[in-house]
Amino acid sequence: MTDLATPTSLRPEPTATAPAPLPEREDLDAVLAGHRREITGYCYRMLGSSFEAEDAVQEAFLRAWRSYDRFEGRSSLRSWLYRIATNVCFDALGARKRRERPMGLGGPQAPEAENLGQVLPEETWVEPVPDDRVLPHDGDPAQVAVGRETIRLAFVAALQFLPPKQRAVLLLREVLRWQASEVAELLDTTVASVNSALQRARATMAARAHWDSSGLADGAETAPAPVASNAGLGEEERLLLERYLDAFERYDMDALVAILHEDATLSMPPYPLWMKGTADIVTWMTGPGYECEGSRMVPVAVNGTFGFGQYRRAEGGGHEPWALQVIETEDGRVTAINAFLDTASWFPLFGLPARLDD
């Protein structure tokens, strides 16, 4: 495990100016709770797993609690917590393989049930996350937009291809807007090393997630902002959500195709199978996936965009959980339907009911 002793670079030097007051130990739990959402978002981006991020935050806060008497306040408490959380993430990343999406494990396959493959373990997959676990409720609009963009599944999956240090540098510099000198202090390295890591990370992200951070320095948005809640949807996104919901619940394939991108994908973790193109998606949905007809959908805010808890008709009446759908969009079209089938894990996390009655 990473040594938790407060590093020399974070210990205060004698100064005529008193350091900022630190919380009393009895107030520390409340202070840590105030940082939970943003640090969970950081750990989620680092690790690609909502549950692993929660565990990382718990471990980071435990380390902070145990070592608080050694924290002397030269850096801010927030910076110190990020340092601890970064070390926790580095420890976790050193002990496992990279998380993937089905699209990262092989090419698209024909829409046939025998191509589903075996169920792969949870640690294989980049996982969804509820917006309210990782995104601020308000703040600077441009920064909020960046926060939403950088929890999209495609972005988080691309992050997993970066070495841990590059991953941390990119997030601290581009998402959290830290200065290079602050990142260098946190990572016990030099500004030149931070800048070099950032350039390499940018190149990888540009290739894998079309990430362009050129406008971040002056606060400009890099892409249209996805939304954190259905109430906050822009008009185009709201209409797309309504059209998708209507088409899926009516199981109207013509209406669904009308809003799908021609190269849209359908995936179903924990199975490795994925399909590409409207023809194969419709073939699957009217063939092996025919039992999804008659589903009911409950909207959720997930990964900076919209999604649904999907409930299939149950024997004896009512509807039972089937999938957490995370919908990816671009230019007014649905580009990906990601159906996460482990409803025992995902529905409680998103506060979805265990059953829908007729």
mmCIF file of all heavy atoms in Angstrom, residues 37 39-45 48-54 125-135 147-148 150-153 156 227-228 300-307 324-326 340 345-346 349-351:
data_model
loop_
_atom_site.group_PDB
_atom_site.id
_atom_site.type_symbol
_atom_site.label_atom_id
_atom_site.label_comp_id
_atom_site.label_asym_id
_atom_site.label_seq_id
_atom_site.Cartn_x
_atom_site.Cartn_y
_atom_site.Cartn_z
ATOM 1 N N ARG A 37 -18.897 13.869 -3.092
ATOM 2 C CA ARG A 37 -19.371 13.764 -4.471
ATOM 3 C C ARG A 37 -18.239 14.032 -5.464
ATOM 4 O O ARG A 37 -18.053 13.274 -6.418
ATOM 5 C CB ARG A 37 -20.531 14.724 -4.721
ATOM 6 C CG ARG A 37 -21.089 14.611 -6.140
ATOM 7 C CD ARG A 37 -22.246 15.548 -6.400
ATOM 8 N NE ARG A 37 -23.445 15.115 -5.702
ATOM 9 C CZ ARG A 37 -24.029 15.784 -4.731
ATOM 10 N NH1 ARG A 37 -23.522 16.930 -4.315
ATOM 11 N NH2 ARG A 37 -25.113 15.311 -4.154
ATOM 12 N N ILE A 39 -14.971 13.844 -5.079
ATOM 13 C CA ILE A 39 -13.896 12.854 -5.037
ATOM 14 C C ILE A 39 -14.393 11.511 -5.567
ATOM 15 O O ILE A 39 -13.636 10.770 -6.200
ATOM 16 C CB ILE A 39 -13.321 12.753 -3.610
ATOM 17 C CG1 ILE A 39 -12.616 14.080 -3.274
ATOM 18 C CG2 ILE A 39 -12.348 11.587 -3.494
ATOM 19 C CD1 ILE A 39 -11.979 14.135 -1.913
ATOM 20 N N THR A 40 -15.666 11.206 -5.367
ATOM 21 C CA THR A 40 -16.227 10.012 -5.984
ATOM 22 C C THR A 40 -16.176 10.126 -7.507
ATOM 23 O O THR A 40 -15.848 9.156 -8.206
ATOM 24 C CB THR A 40 -17.674 9.786 -5.527
ATOM 25 O OG1 THR A 40 -17.713 9.669 -4.097
ATOM 26 C CG2 THR A 40 -18.246 8.515 -6.137
ATOM 27 N N GLY A 41 -16.488 11.321 -8.035
ATOM 28 C CA GLY A 41 -16.398 11.524 -9.470
ATOM 29 C C GLY A 41 -14.981 11.333 -9.988
ATOM 30 O O GLY A 41 -14.761 10.726 -11.047
ATOM 31 N N TYR A 42 -14.012 11.838 -9.239
ATOM 32 C CA TYR A 42 -12.602 11.673 -9.618
ATOM 33 C C TYR A 42 -12.216 10.189 -9.619
ATOM 34 O O TYR A 42 -11.624 9.684 -10.589
ATOM 35 C CB TYR A 42 -11.734 12.456 -8.647
ATOM 36 C CG TYR A 42 -10.247 12.284 -8.820
ATOM 37 C CD1 TYR A 42 -9.586 12.798 -9.936
ATOM 38 C CD2 TYR A 42 -9.490 11.621 -7.855
ATOM 39 C CE1 TYR A 42 -8.216 12.646 -10.085
ATOM 40 C CE2 TYR A 42 -8.115 11.478 -7.994
ATOM 41 C CZ TYR A 42 -7.482 11.984 -9.114
ATOM 42 O OH TYR A 42 -6.123 11.839 -9.258
ATOM 43 N N CYS A 43 -12.584 9.472 -8.556
ATOM 44 C CA CYS A 43 -12.242 8.052 -8.463
ATOM 45 C C CYS A 43 -12.980 7.238 -9.522
ATOM 46 O O CYS A 43 -12.422 6.275 -10.070
ATOM 47 C CB CYS A 43 -12.547 7.524 -7.063
ATOM 48 S SG CYS A 43 -11.483 8.195 -5.757
ATOM 49 N N TYR A 44 -14.218 7.608 -9.834
ATOM 50 C CA TYR A 44 -14.941 6.900 -10.884
ATOM 51 C C TYR A 44 -14.234 7.045 -12.222
ATOM 52 O O TYR A 44 -14.061 6.065 -12.966
ATOM 53 C CB TYR A 44 -16.375 7.413 -10.994
ATOM 54 C CG TYR A 44 -17.091 6.868 -12.202
ATOM 55 C CD1 TYR A 44 -17.451 5.521 -12.270
ATOM 56 C CD2 TYR A 44 -17.375 7.679 -13.301
ATOM 57 C CE1 TYR A 44 -18.082 5.004 -13.395
ATOM 58 C CE2 TYR A 44 -18.008 7.172 -14.424
ATOM 59 C CZ TYR A 44 -18.358 5.830 -14.468
ATOM 60 O OH TYR A 44 -18.957 5.315 -15.586
ATOM 61 N N ARG A 45 -13.813 8.240 -12.553
ATOM 62 C CA ARG A 45 -13.106 8.436 -13.818
ATOM 63 C C ARG A 45 -11.786 7.666 -13.819
ATOM 64 O O ARG A 45 -11.391 7.099 -14.847
ATOM 65 C CB ARG A 45 -12.850 9.921 -14.056
ATOM 66 C CG ARG A 45 -14.122 10.755 -14.255
ATOM 67 C CD ARG A 45 -13.772 12.229 -14.354
ATOM 68 N NE ARG A 45 -14.928 13.083 -14.587
ATOM 69 C CZ ARG A 45 -15.589 13.735 -13.629
ATOM 70 N NH1 ARG A 45 -15.193 13.628 -12.363
ATOM 71 N NH2 ARG A 45 -16.622 14.489 -13.919
ATOM 72 N N GLY A 48 -13.183 3.591 -13.500
ATOM 73 C CA GLY A 48 -14.160 3.070 -14.438
ATOM 74 C C GLY A 48 -15.250 2.228 -13.810
ATOM 75 O O GLY A 48 -15.996 1.548 -14.520
ATOM 76 N N SER A 49 -15.390 2.296 -12.497
ATOM 77 C CA SER A 49 -16.368 1.477 -11.791
ATOM 78 C C SER A 49 -17.016 2.303 -10.693
ATOM 79 O O SER A 49 -16.315 2.886 -9.854
ATOM 80 C CB SER A 49 -15.692 0.247 -11.166
ATOM 81 O OG SER A 49 -16.492 -0.333 -10.159
ATOM 82 N N SER A 50 -18.348 2.327 -10.670
ATOM 83 C CA SER A 50 -19.034 3.083 -9.633
ATOM 84 C C SER A 50 -18.838 2.458 -8.257
ATOM 85 O O SER A 50 -18.610 3.165 -7.270
ATOM 86 C CB SER A 50 -20.525 3.188 -9.968
ATOM 87 O OG SER A 50 -21.054 1.931 -10.330
ATOM 88 N N PHE A 51 -18.889 1.136 -8.181
ATOM 89 C CA PHE A 51 -18.727 0.479 -6.885
ATOM 90 C C PHE A 51 -17.281 0.564 -6.401
ATOM 91 O O PHE A 51 -17.026 0.780 -5.213
ATOM 92 C CB PHE A 51 -19.171 -0.977 -6.975
ATOM 93 C CG PHE A 51 -20.636 -1.134 -7.257
ATOM 94 C CD1 PHE A 51 -21.069 -1.676 -8.454
ATOM 95 C CD2 PHE A 51 -21.586 -0.720 -6.346
ATOM 96 C CE1 PHE A 51 -22.416 -1.816 -8.722
ATOM 97 C CE2 PHE A 51 -22.942 -0.853 -6.612
ATOM 98 C CZ PHE A 51 -23.361 -1.401 -7.802
ATOM 99 N N GLU A 52 -16.339 0.402 -7.321
ATOM 100 C CA GLU A 52 -14.936 0.516 -6.942
ATOM 101 C C GLU A 52 -14.610 1.944 -6.517
ATOM 102 O O GLU A 52 -13.802 2.171 -5.609
ATOM 103 C CB GLU A 52 -14.052 0.082 -8.121
ATOM 104 C CG GLU A 52 -12.643 -0.303 -7.711
ATOM 105 C CD GLU A 52 -11.846 -0.902 -8.853
ATOM 106 O OE1 GLU A 52 -12.384 -1.036 -9.975
ATOM 107 O OE2 GLU A 52 -10.671 -1.239 -8.620
ATOM 108 N N ALA A 53 -15.249 2.925 -7.151
ATOM 109 C CA ALA A 53 -15.042 4.317 -6.759
ATOM 110 C C ALA A 53 -15.543 4.567 -5.339
ATOM 111 O O ALA A 53 -14.891 5.249 -4.544
ATOM 112 C CB ALA A 53 -15.748 5.253 -7.738
ATOM 113 N N GLU A 54 -16.710 4.033 -5.016
ATOM 114 C CA GLU A 54 -17.235 4.176 -3.659
ATOM 115 C C GLU A 54 -16.273 3.563 -2.645
ATOM 116 O O GLU A 54 -16.015 4.139 -1.577
ATOM 117 C CB GLU A 54 -18.614 3.519 -3.549
ATOM 118 C CG GLU A 54 -19.699 4.184 -4.378
ATOM 119 C CD GLU A 54 -20.233 5.457 -3.743
ATOM 120 O OE1 GLU A 54 -19.798 5.799 -2.618
ATOM 121 O OE2 GLU A 54 -21.073 6.118 -4.375
ATOM 122 N N TRP A 125 -15.833 -4.804 -16.872
ATOM 123 C CA TRP A 125 -16.577 -3.767 -17.565
ATOM 124 C C TRP A 125 -16.392 -2.361 -17.006
ATOM 125 O O TRP A 125 -16.299 -2.172 -15.790
ATOM 126 C CB TRP A 125 -18.073 -4.094 -17.525
ATOM 127 C CG TRP A 125 -18.379 -5.464 -18.030
ATOM 128 C CD1 TRP A 125 -18.829 -6.525 -17.313
ATOM 129 C CD2 TRP A 125 -18.213 -5.935 -19.372
ATOM 130 N NE1 TRP A 125 -18.969 -7.623 -18.124
ATOM 131 C CE2 TRP A 125 -18.592 -7.289 -19.389
ATOM 132 C CE3 TRP A 125 -17.782 -5.341 -20.563
ATOM 133 C CZ2 TRP A 125 -18.565 -8.068 -20.554
ATOM 134 C CZ3 TRP A 125 -17.747 -6.105 -21.706
ATOM 135 C CH2 TRP A 125 -18.132 -7.449 -21.698
ATOM 136 N N VAL A 126 -16.371 -1.391 -17.907
ATOM 137 C CA VAL A 126 -16.608 0.000 -17.515
ATOM 138 C C VAL A 126 -18.082 0.102 -17.151
ATOM 139 O O VAL A 126 -18.949 -0.305 -17.924
ATOM 140 C CB VAL A 126 -16.264 0.975 -18.662
ATOM 141 C CG1 VAL A 126 -16.693 2.394 -18.320
ATOM 142 C CG2 VAL A 126 -14.777 0.927 -18.966
ATOM 143 N N GLU A 127 -18.349 0.650 -15.975
ATOM 144 C CA GLU A 127 -19.695 0.603 -15.415
ATOM 145 C C GLU A 127 -20.384 1.961 -15.456
ATOM 146 O O GLU A 127 -19.723 3.005 -15.477
ATOM 147 C CB GLU A 127 -19.632 0.116 -13.962
ATOM 148 C CG GLU A 127 -19.048 -1.276 -13.807
ATOM 149 C CD GLU A 127 -18.909 -1.672 -12.351
ATOM 150 O OE1 GLU A 127 -18.956 -0.788 -11.462
ATOM 151 O OE2 GLU A 127 -18.745 -2.881 -12.096
ATOM 152 N N PRO A 128 -21.720 1.955 -15.412
ATOM 153 C CA PRO A 128 -22.454 3.214 -15.328
ATOM 154 C C PRO A 128 -22.405 3.793 -13.924
ATOM 155 O O PRO A 128 -22.076 3.092 -12.954
ATOM 156 C CB PRO A 128 -23.884 2.805 -15.702
ATOM 157 C CG PRO A 128 -23.980 1.374 -15.265
ATOM 158 C CD PRO A 128 -22.623 0.775 -15.490
ATOM 159 N N VAL A 129 -22.749 5.080 -13.815
ATOM 160 C CA VAL A 129 -22.767 5.739 -12.510
ATOM 161 C C VAL A 129 -23.919 6.750 -12.499
ATOM 162 O O VAL A 129 -24.174 7.423 -13.496
ATOM 163 C CB VAL A 129 -21.426 6.450 -12.219
ATOM 164 C CG1 VAL A 129 -21.196 7.650 -13.123
ATOM 165 C CG2 VAL A 129 -21.313 6.842 -10.756
ATOM 166 N N PRO A 130 -24.645 6.842 -11.384
ATOM 167 C CA PRO A 130 -25.694 7.862 -11.286
ATOM 168 C C PRO A 130 -25.086 9.261 -11.260
ATOM 169 O O PRO A 130 -24.091 9.508 -10.569
ATOM 170 C CB PRO A 130 -26.389 7.548 -9.952
ATOM 171 C CG PRO A 130 -25.972 6.150 -9.601
ATOM 172 C CD PRO A 130 -24.606 5.974 -10.191
ATOM 173 N N ASP A 131 -25.693 10.179 -11.978
ATOM 174 C CA ASP A 131 -25.175 11.549 -12.016
ATOM 175 C C ASP A 131 -25.071 12.149 -10.622
ATOM 176 O O ASP A 131 -24.108 12.860 -10.314
ATOM 177 C CB ASP A 131 -26.084 12.439 -12.869
ATOM 178 C CG ASP A 131 -25.887 12.211 -14.357
ATOM 179 O OD1 ASP A 131 -25.142 11.278 -14.727
ATOM 180 O OD2 ASP A 131 -26.477 12.961 -15.147
ATOM 181 N N ASP A 132 -26.071 11.878 -9.768
ATOM 182 C CA ASP A 132 -26.072 12.561 -8.480
ATOM 183 C C ASP A 132 -25.034 12.024 -7.510
ATOM 184 O O ASP A 132 -24.855 12.578 -6.427
ATOM 185 C CB ASP A 132 -27.470 12.534 -7.841
ATOM 186 C CG ASP A 132 -27.965 11.124 -7.552
ATOM 187 O OD1 ASP A 132 -27.189 10.157 -7.716
ATOM 188 O OD2 ASP A 132 -29.147 10.992 -7.153
ATOM 189 N N ARG A 133 -24.313 10.964 -7.887
ATOM 190 C CA ARG A 133 -23.208 10.479 -7.067
ATOM 191 C C ARG A 133 -21.894 11.195 -7.375
ATOM 192 O O ARG A 133 -20.980 11.158 -6.557
ATOM 193 C CB ARG A 133 -22.996 8.980 -7.281
ATOM 194 C CG ARG A 133 -24.153 8.078 -6.857
ATOM 195 C CD ARG A 133 -24.284 8.029 -5.347
ATOM 196 N NE ARG A 133 -25.333 7.092 -4.938
ATOM 197 C CZ ARG A 133 -25.104 5.868 -4.472
ATOM 198 N NH1 ARG A 133 -23.855 5.419 -4.369
ATOM 199 N NH2 ARG A 133 -26.106 5.096 -4.106
ATOM 200 N N VAL A 134 -21.820 11.826 -8.571
ATOM 201 C CA VAL A 134 -20.513 12.310 -9.008
ATOM 202 C C VAL A 134 -20.511 13.725 -9.577
ATOM 203 O O VAL A 134 -19.436 14.291 -9.805
ATOM 204 C CB VAL A 134 -19.910 11.354 -10.073
ATOM 205 C CG1 VAL A 134 -19.629 9.981 -9.486
ATOM 206 C CG2 VAL A 134 -20.822 11.230 -11.288
ATOM 207 N N LEU A 135 -21.674 14.314 -9.830
ATOM 208 C CA LEU A 135 -21.737 15.635 -10.447
ATOM 209 C C LEU A 135 -22.265 16.658 -9.461
ATOM 210 O O LEU A 135 -23.178 16.362 -8.682
ATOM 211 C CB LEU A 135 -22.643 15.611 -11.679
ATOM 212 C CG LEU A 135 -22.153 14.840 -12.898
ATOM 213 C CD1 LEU A 135 -23.197 14.901 -14.001
ATOM 214 C CD2 LEU A 135 -20.814 15.372 -13.393
ATOM 215 N N GLY A 147 -17.708 18.556 -16.562
ATOM 216 C CA GLY A 147 -17.931 17.451 -15.644
ATOM 217 C C GLY A 147 -18.843 16.397 -16.234
ATOM 218 O O GLY A 147 -18.581 15.193 -16.142
ATOM 219 N N ARG A 148 -19.915 16.822 -16.885
ATOM 220 C CA ARG A 148 -20.839 15.874 -17.496
ATOM 221 C C ARG A 148 -20.214 15.139 -18.666
ATOM 222 O O ARG A 148 -20.366 13.921 -18.816
ATOM 223 C CB ARG A 148 -22.097 16.622 -17.960
ATOM 224 C CG ARG A 148 -22.949 17.140 -16.817
ATOM 225 C CD ARG A 148 -24.026 18.069 -17.327
ATOM 226 N NE ARG A 148 -24.890 18.516 -16.245
ATOM 227 C CZ ARG A 148 -25.758 19.504 -16.339
ATOM 228 N NH1 ARG A 148 -25.877 20.162 -17.480
ATOM 229 N NH2 ARG A 148 -26.505 19.844 -15.305
ATOM 230 N N THR A 150 -17.212 14.414 -19.134
ATOM 231 C CA THR A 150 -16.115 13.520 -18.746
ATOM 232 C C THR A 150 -16.552 12.377 -17.849
ATOM 233 O O THR A 150 -15.692 11.669 -17.310
ATOM 234 C CB THR A 150 -14.993 14.326 -18.079
ATOM 235 O OG1 THR A 150 -15.513 15.033 -16.936
ATOM 236 C CG2 THR A 150 -14.366 15.306 -19.065
ATOM 237 N N ILE A 151 -17.878 12.163 -17.702
ATOM 238 C CA ILE A 151 -18.328 10.892 -17.125
ATOM 239 C C ILE A 151 -19.087 10.060 -18.150
ATOM 240 O O ILE A 151 -19.646 9.024 -17.812
ATOM 241 C CB ILE A 151 -19.182 11.082 -15.852
ATOM 242 C CG1 ILE A 151 -20.459 11.862 -16.141
ATOM 243 C CG2 ILE A 151 -18.367 11.693 -14.738
ATOM 244 C CD1 ILE A 151 -21.488 11.764 -15.022
ATOM 245 N N ARG A 152 -19.105 10.504 -19.407
ATOM 246 C CA ARG A 152 -19.716 9.681 -20.441
ATOM 247 C C ARG A 152 -18.963 8.360 -20.558
ATOM 248 O O ARG A 152 -17.745 8.297 -20.384
ATOM 249 C CB ARG A 152 -19.698 10.406 -21.776
ATOM 250 C CG ARG A 152 -20.645 11.607 -21.835
ATOM 251 C CD ARG A 152 -20.536 12.320 -23.169
ATOM 252 N NE ARG A 152 -21.459 13.433 -23.269
ATOM 253 C CZ ARG A 152 -21.524 14.248 -24.301
ATOM 254 N NH1 ARG A 152 -20.708 14.068 -25.337
ATOM 255 N NH2 ARG A 152 -22.401 15.243 -24.319
ATOM 256 N N LEU A 153 -19.700 7.310 -20.892
ATOM 257 C CA LEU A 153 -19.085 5.985 -20.962
ATOM 258 C C LEU A 153 -17.892 5.947 -21.910
ATOM 259 O O LEU A 153 -16.858 5.353 -21.602
ATOM 260 C CB LEU A 153 -20.129 4.951 -21.395
ATOM 261 C CG LEU A 153 -21.150 4.516 -20.346
ATOM 262 C CD1 LEU A 153 -22.196 3.606 -20.990
ATOM 263 C CD2 LEU A 153 -20.480 3.805 -19.179
ATOM 264 N N VAL A 156 -14.878 7.687 -20.241
ATOM 265 C CA VAL A 156 -14.324 6.909 -19.131
ATOM 266 C C VAL A 156 -13.622 5.662 -19.659
ATOM 267 O O VAL A 156 -12.555 5.281 -19.156
ATOM 268 C CB VAL A 156 -15.432 6.551 -18.124
ATOM 269 C CG1 VAL A 156 -14.905 5.627 -17.030
ATOM 270 C CG2 VAL A 156 -16.012 7.819 -17.493
ATOM 271 N N VAL A 227 -26.771 16.250 -20.111
ATOM 272 C CA VAL A 227 -27.615 16.753 -19.034
ATOM 273 C C VAL A 227 -27.562 15.852 -17.824
ATOM 274 O O VAL A 227 -27.375 14.657 -17.926
ATOM 275 C CB VAL A 227 -29.071 16.867 -19.508
ATOM 276 C CG1 VAL A 227 -29.214 17.944 -20.551
ATOM 277 C CG2 VAL A 227 -29.564 15.536 -20.053
ATOM 278 N N ALA A 228 -27.716 16.454 -16.627
ATOM 279 C CA ALA A 228 -27.634 15.702 -15.387
ATOM 280 C C ALA A 228 -28.993 15.256 -14.898
ATOM 281 O O ALA A 228 -29.089 14.409 -14.039
ATOM 282 C CB ALA A 228 -26.959 16.556 -14.322
ATOM 283 N N VAL A 300 -33.759 7.676 -15.940
ATOM 284 C CA VAL A 300 -32.743 7.943 -14.921
ATOM 285 C C VAL A 300 -31.689 8.885 -15.518
ATOM 286 O O VAL A 300 -31.541 8.975 -16.738
ATOM 287 C CB VAL A 300 -32.048 6.655 -14.432
ATOM 288 C CG1 VAL A 300 -33.029 5.750 -13.690
ATOM 289 C CG2 VAL A 300 -31.391 5.904 -15.586
ATOM 290 N N ALA A 301 -30.986 9.590 -14.639
ATOM 291 C CA ALA A 301 -29.866 10.435 -15.055
ATOM 292 C C ALA A 301 -28.580 9.665 -14.810
ATOM 293 O O ALA A 301 -28.236 9.355 -13.671
ATOM 294 C CB ALA A 301 -29.873 11.742 -14.261
ATOM 295 N N VAL A 302 -27.856 9.365 -15.874
ATOM 296 C CA VAL A 302 -26.734 8.437 -15.788
ATOM 297 C C VAL A 302 -25.631 8.890 -16.727
ATOM 298 O O VAL A 302 -25.881 9.242 -17.879
ATOM 299 C CB VAL A 302 -27.203 6.995 -16.126
ATOM 300 C CG1 VAL A 302 -27.950 6.946 -17.449
ATOM 301 C CG2 VAL A 302 -26.035 6.018 -16.137
ATOM 302 N N ASN A 303 -24.403 8.888 -16.222
ATOM 303 C CA ASN A 303 -23.227 9.198 -17.026
ATOM 304 C C ASN A 303 -23.379 10.463 -17.865
ATOM 305 O O ASN A 303 -22.995 10.526 -19.030
ATOM 306 C CB ASN A 303 -22.847 8.014 -17.916
ATOM 307 C CG ASN A 303 -22.202 6.890 -17.119
ATOM 308 O OD1 ASN A 303 -22.892 6.017 -16.605
ATOM 309 N ND2 ASN A 303 -20.890 6.932 -16.986
ATOM 310 N N GLY A 304 -23.965 11.500 -17.282
ATOM 311 C CA GLY A 304 -24.066 12.783 -17.942
ATOM 312 C C GLY A 304 -25.056 12.831 -19.083
ATOM 313 O O GLY A 304 -25.104 13.807 -19.830
ATOM 314 N N THR A 305 -25.854 11.796 -19.238
ATOM 315 C CA THR A 305 -26.828 11.744 -20.317
ATOM 316 C C THR A 305 -28.103 11.125 -19.771
ATOM 317 O O THR A 305 -28.326 11.128 -18.562
ATOM 318 C CB THR A 305 -26.263 10.959 -21.519
ATOM 319 O OG1 THR A 305 -27.197 10.967 -22.587
ATOM 320 C CG2 THR A 305 -25.912 9.528 -21.154
ATOM 321 N N PHE A 306 -28.974 10.608 -20.643
ATOM 322 C CA PHE A 306 -30.184 9.996 -20.124
ATOM 323 C C PHE A 306 -30.146 8.492 -20.301
ATOM 324 O O PHE A 306 -29.446 7.946 -21.149
ATOM 325 C CB PHE A 306 -31.451 10.606 -20.728
ATOM 326 C CG PHE A 306 -31.613 10.429 -22.223
ATOM 327 C CD1 PHE A 306 -32.101 9.243 -22.737
ATOM 328 C CD2 PHE A 306 -31.327 11.465 -23.099
ATOM 329 C CE1 PHE A 306 -32.288 9.081 -24.100
ATOM 330 C CE2 PHE A 306 -31.513 11.323 -24.469
ATOM 331 C CZ PHE A 306 -31.995 10.120 -24.972
ATOM 332 N N GLY A 307 -30.892 7.826 -19.457
ATOM 333 C CA GLY A 307 -30.993 6.381 -19.510
ATOM 334 C C GLY A 307 -32.339 5.949 -18.950
ATOM 335 O O GLY A 307 -33.183 6.775 -18.594
ATOM 336 N N LEU A 324 -30.541 -1.871 -17.193
ATOM 337 C CA LEU A 324 -30.310 -0.434 -17.078
ATOM 338 C C LEU A 324 -29.771 0.026 -18.425
ATOM 339 O O LEU A 324 -28.664 -0.332 -18.812
ATOM 340 C CB LEU A 324 -29.313 -0.119 -15.962
ATOM 341 C CG LEU A 324 -28.964 1.362 -15.841
ATOM 342 C CD1 LEU A 324 -30.121 2.142 -15.214
ATOM 343 C CD2 LEU A 324 -27.690 1.574 -15.030
ATOM 344 N N GLN A 325 -30.552 0.812 -19.142
ATOM 345 C CA GLN A 325 -30.120 1.303 -20.440
ATOM 346 C C GLN A 325 -29.439 2.661 -20.290
ATOM 347 O O GLN A 325 -30.003 3.580 -19.694
ATOM 348 C CB GLN A 325 -31.313 1.454 -21.384
ATOM 349 C CG GLN A 325 -31.974 0.165 -21.798
ATOM 350 C CD GLN A 325 -32.962 0.379 -22.928
ATOM 351 O OE1 GLN A 325 -32.998 1.436 -23.560
ATOM 352 N NE2 GLN A 325 -33.764 -0.643 -23.209
ATOM 353 N N VAL A 326 -28.234 2.768 -20.830
ATOM 354 C CA VAL A 326 -27.530 4.045 -20.916
ATOM 355 C C VAL A 326 -27.483 4.420 -22.390
ATOM 356 O O VAL A 326 -26.929 3.679 -23.209
ATOM 357 C CB VAL A 326 -26.110 3.959 -20.337
ATOM 358 C CG1 VAL A 326 -25.433 5.332 -20.376
ATOM 359 C CG2 VAL A 326 -26.142 3.428 -18.909
ATOM 360 N N PHE A 340 -27.187 -2.682 -19.506
ATOM 361 C CA PHE A 340 -26.481 -3.381 -18.430
ATOM 362 C C PHE A 340 -27.489 -4.298 -17.733
ATOM 363 O O PHE A 340 -28.464 -3.837 -17.139
ATOM 364 C CB PHE A 340 -25.874 -2.381 -17.458
ATOM 365 C CG PHE A 340 -24.738 -1.583 -18.041
ATOM 366 C CD1 PHE A 340 -24.986 -0.401 -18.739
ATOM 367 C CD2 PHE A 340 -23.427 -2.011 -17.917
ATOM 368 C CE1 PHE A 340 -23.948 0.332 -19.284
ATOM 369 C CE2 PHE A 340 -22.376 -1.286 -18.460
ATOM 370 C CZ PHE A 340 -22.635 -0.112 -19.144
ATOM 371 N N SER A 345 -27.567 -5.349 -9.157
ATOM 372 C CA SER A 345 -26.595 -4.328 -8.754
ATOM 373 C C SER A 345 -27.059 -2.926 -9.109
ATOM 374 O O SER A 345 -26.981 -1.995 -8.291
ATOM 375 C CB SER A 345 -25.240 -4.598 -9.416
ATOM 376 O OG SER A 345 -24.679 -5.809 -8.978
ATOM 377 N N TRP A 346 -27.558 -2.763 -10.349
ATOM 378 C CA TRP A 346 -27.786 -1.409 -10.862
ATOM 379 C C TRP A 346 -29.089 -0.781 -10.397
ATOM 380 O O TRP A 346 -29.126 0.418 -10.131
ATOM 381 C CB TRP A 346 -27.731 -1.424 -12.396
ATOM 382 C CG TRP A 346 -26.426 -1.935 -12.896
ATOM 383 C CD1 TRP A 346 -26.200 -2.992 -13.717
ATOM 384 C CD2 TRP A 346 -25.134 -1.428 -12.552
ATOM 385 N NE1 TRP A 346 -24.857 -3.176 -13.916
ATOM 386 C CE2 TRP A 346 -24.178 -2.232 -13.210
ATOM 387 C CE3 TRP A 346 -24.687 -0.384 -11.757
ATOM 388 C CZ2 TRP A 346 -22.811 -2.017 -13.095
ATOM 389 C CZ3 TRP A 346 -23.329 -0.165 -11.638
ATOM 390 C CH2 TRP A 346 -22.410 -0.980 -12.298
ATOM 391 N N LEU A 349 -28.749 0.835 -6.935
ATOM 392 C CA LEU A 349 -27.845 1.980 -6.991
ATOM 393 C C LEU A 349 -28.538 3.213 -7.545
ATOM 394 O O LEU A 349 -28.297 4.339 -7.096
ATOM 395 C CB LEU A 349 -26.620 1.639 -7.854
ATOM 396 C CG LEU A 349 -25.547 2.731 -7.965
ATOM 397 C CD1 LEU A 349 -24.866 2.952 -6.621
ATOM 398 C CD2 LEU A 349 -24.514 2.370 -9.025
ATOM 399 N N PHE A 350 -29.421 3.016 -8.514
ATOM 400 C CA PHE A 350 -30.126 4.132 -9.143
ATOM 401 C C PHE A 350 -31.478 4.430 -8.492
ATOM 402 O O PHE A 350 -32.225 5.263 -8.986
ATOM 403 C CB PHE A 350 -30.303 3.867 -10.635
ATOM 404 C CG PHE A 350 -29.052 4.101 -11.447
ATOM 405 C CD1 PHE A 350 -28.058 3.137 -11.509
ATOM 406 C CD2 PHE A 350 -28.858 5.296 -12.125
ATOM 407 C CE1 PHE A 350 -26.898 3.349 -12.248
ATOM 408 C CE2 PHE A 350 -27.702 5.518 -12.858
ATOM 409 C CZ PHE A 350 -26.717 4.546 -12.911
ATOM 410 N N GLY A 351 -31.776 3.734 -7.404
ATOM 411 C CA GLY A 351 -33.032 3.986 -6.708
ATOM 412 C C GLY A 351 -34.253 3.549 -7.482
ATOM 413 O O GLY A 351 -35.346 4.097 -7.285
#
